[in-house]
Amino acid sequence: MKPNVRQARSTKVATIADVASLAGVSPMTVSRVVNGEPNVRPGTREKVQAAIASLNYVPNQAARRLAGSEPIRIGMLYIDPTAGYLNEFLIGLLNKASLRHVQLIVQRCDAARDGEEKPVAEMIANGIDGLILPPPFCDSQPLLKLVAETDTPAVVVSSGVPPEAVCAVGIDDYQAAYEMTRHLLTLGHHRLGFIIGDPYQSSSSRRLAGFHAAMSDAGLNIAEEEVVAQGMFTYRSGLDAAEFLLSQEQRPTAIFASNDDMAAATVAIAHRMGLDVPSDLTVVGFDDAPLATTIWPELTTVRQPIMEMAGAAVDLLVRHIRARRNGEPLPCEHELQDFELVRRQSDAAPRLRPPLRLGA
């Protein structure tokens, strides 16, 4: 008795290739739809879902592997110079990793710029699928070289000048610093102090460049050594930098610190010197970390969406890992997130003082 051809066809198990063929798309697109990824056009998603329904497609273990459901292990290296930034970053990372069913391997490194390659090399040797490198490791040339040599998918976060060959998530540090400086100038400040961040991080130079550009565009020409102090993105370095700036014969009426930790330190030094913030001194920061709203007065600052950037880094890395597994590697992507100038209580117009009387 000959087999019923129609019956044989009806019992055939549909594959991801069958769905792709019926929908007129690639297996990678089917993979994205099956995994609920957002980067699929609505019309395409509908065609794929219709094909899945028509073929009664159910991903088996092999197909699930092709669709990107095989476990993904992501490594992240961190150091803790600014706890507020790190806490926000880890929350965003963990929230997104949970949603994407990603296993995170988090490794502390106490020796940034000196020995960070060893823990990363160990993670790569142990079979991680990709790396997320937040500051300061986002700008580590030895790490970026190791990533390139081992062909490991990676995303750098908050690098002011991310390399073209690596995926990146961040904000426009230059434009953010420019806009904050313009805000201070608009308030009426003309003598501004600036505290630079860690010189080994490219975001520091980008923020300084934005500050200088805004000052120059306003026609101000003040010697750099009189208005700029070096910091390291730490509270301790902010204390030293603020002391230097406020000890000048003509001290600034406003100080823009490259992060909230150093801005908080500046507020502390101002209070110690008997200066009121913001009546005697305006102080603004960068990041909008939790510290910005836990000191008095609350800080005016640039908000960069730290949690959102961490989540975007996970999404970006997972997308590239899955594309590689499917034999369709994607070109590197650089995602710019929106920043926001958040006004609180630490900024005001400079106080106008009456002229001294002769003989007083």
Side-chain angles (χ1 to χ4, degrees):
M1 178 177 171
K2 293 183 179 181
N4 187 308
V5 176
R6 182 174 298 174
Q7 183 180 10
R9 285 178 181 170
S10 66
T11 58
K12 178 179 179 292
V13 177
T15 67
I16 195 170
D18 295 330
V19 175
S21 176
L22 181 60
V25 299
S26 70
M28 185 61 190
T29 300
V30 177
S31 154
R32 294 191 182 110
V33 173
V34 169
N35 284 281
E37 295 186 20
N39 55 329
V40 180
R41 293 189 181 92
T44 301
R45 188 182 299 277
E46 289 176 7
K47 286 197 298 183
V48 172
Q49 290 171 337
I52 288 172
S54 175
L55 295 172
N56 294 317
Y57 171 68
V58 177
N60 58 26
Q61 190 59 35
R64 287 178 67 81
R65 224 176 261 118
L66 179 61
S69 296
E70 187 179 2
I72 290 177
R73 300 171 71 233
I74 291 176
M76 197 275 279
L77 193 66
Y78 79 93
I79 195 168
D80 192 11
T82 54
Y85 184 100
L86 177 64
N87 289 342
E88 293 277 294
F89 192 85
L90 284 174
I91 291 171
L93 205 65
L94 291 168
N95 286 344
K96 183 61 70 168
S98 176
L99 290 173
R100 303 288 270 166
H101 307 293
V102 166
Q103 180 184 358
L104 282 175
I105 297 91
V106 179
Q107 177 70 50
R108 180 184 174 88
C109 180
D110 292 314
R113 300 186 297 274
D114 183 20
E116 68 265 35
E117 296 157 86
K118 183 179 178 181
V120 170
E122 289 175 351
M123 283 192 284
I124 293 172
N126 288 331
I128 61 161
D129 297 296
L131 278 168
I132 291 178
L133 299 174
F137 304 108
C138 56
D139 292 310
S140 168
Q141 292 308 308
L143 280 186
L144 293 174
K145 181 181 179 183
L146 178 61
V147 163
E149 289 175 347
T150 57
D151 195 28
T152 302
V155 177
V156 297
V157 182
S158 292
S159 172
V161 188
E164 292 184 5
V166 180
C167 291
V169 175
I171 65 167
D172 188 335
D173 291 279
Y174 174 95
Q175 190 62 35
Y178 184 96
E179 291 188 16
M180 177 60 85
T181 307
R182 288 291 305 167
H183 167 67
L184 296 175
L185 295 169
T186 301
L187 286 175
H189 296 280
H190 294 99
R191 184 165 181 79
L192 308 184
F194 187 85
I195 303 179
I196 313 171
D198 186 338
Y200 290 95
Q201 294 188 41
S202 57
S203 59
S204 297
S205 60
R206 294 296 294 161
R207 293 172 193 179
L208 178 61
F211 170 75
H212 280 319
M215 295 282 281
S216 177
D217 288 350
L220 300 175
N221 184 19
I222 303 174
E224 181 174 298
E225 63 270 19
E226 294 181 354
V227 295
V228 175
Q230 183 64 59
M232 292 296 293
F233 282 139
T234 63
Y235 185 89
R236 174 71 255 181
S237 69
L239 295 174
D240 295 336
E243 261 192 308
F244 170 78
L245 291 173
L246 293 176
S247 67
Q248 300 299 304
E249 185 176 347
Q250 293 185 336
R251 68 187 180 212
T253 61
I255 293 178
F256 179 6
S258 289
N259 77 341
D260 292 336
D261 285 63
M262 297 191 297
T266 301
V267 171
I269 292 295
H271 288 164
R272 194 186 76 183
M273 296 176 67
L275 300 174
D276 180 73
V277 177
S279 298
D280 298 314
L281 177 71
T282 278
V283 179
V284 298
F286 203 111
D287 282 346
D288 199 22
L291 178 63
T293 55
T294 56
I295 67 167
W296 178 85
E298 294 185 358
L299 285 175
T300 291
T301 187
V302 172
R303 180 181 186 270
Q304 60 170 334
I306 300 169
M307 284 194 290
E308 291 86 346
M309 289 193 300
V314 174
D315 278 338
L316 185 56
L317 190 52
V318 166
R319 190 158 67 242
H320 278 255
I321 291 169
R322 285 180 173 163
R324 280 194 174 204
R325 288 180 177 179
N326 289 329
E328 299 181 13
L330 301 170
C332 289
E333 303 171 65
H334 289 184
E335 292 187 7
L336 275 182
Q337 301 277 319
D338 293 332
F339 62 85
E340 179 185 1
L341 194 159
V342 180
R343 288 200 69 184
R344 296 194 178 99
Q345 289 82 45
S346 68
D347 70 319
R351 178 182 287 180
L352 298 177
R353 300 183 185 279
L356 291 175
R357 296 179 185 175
L358 292 177

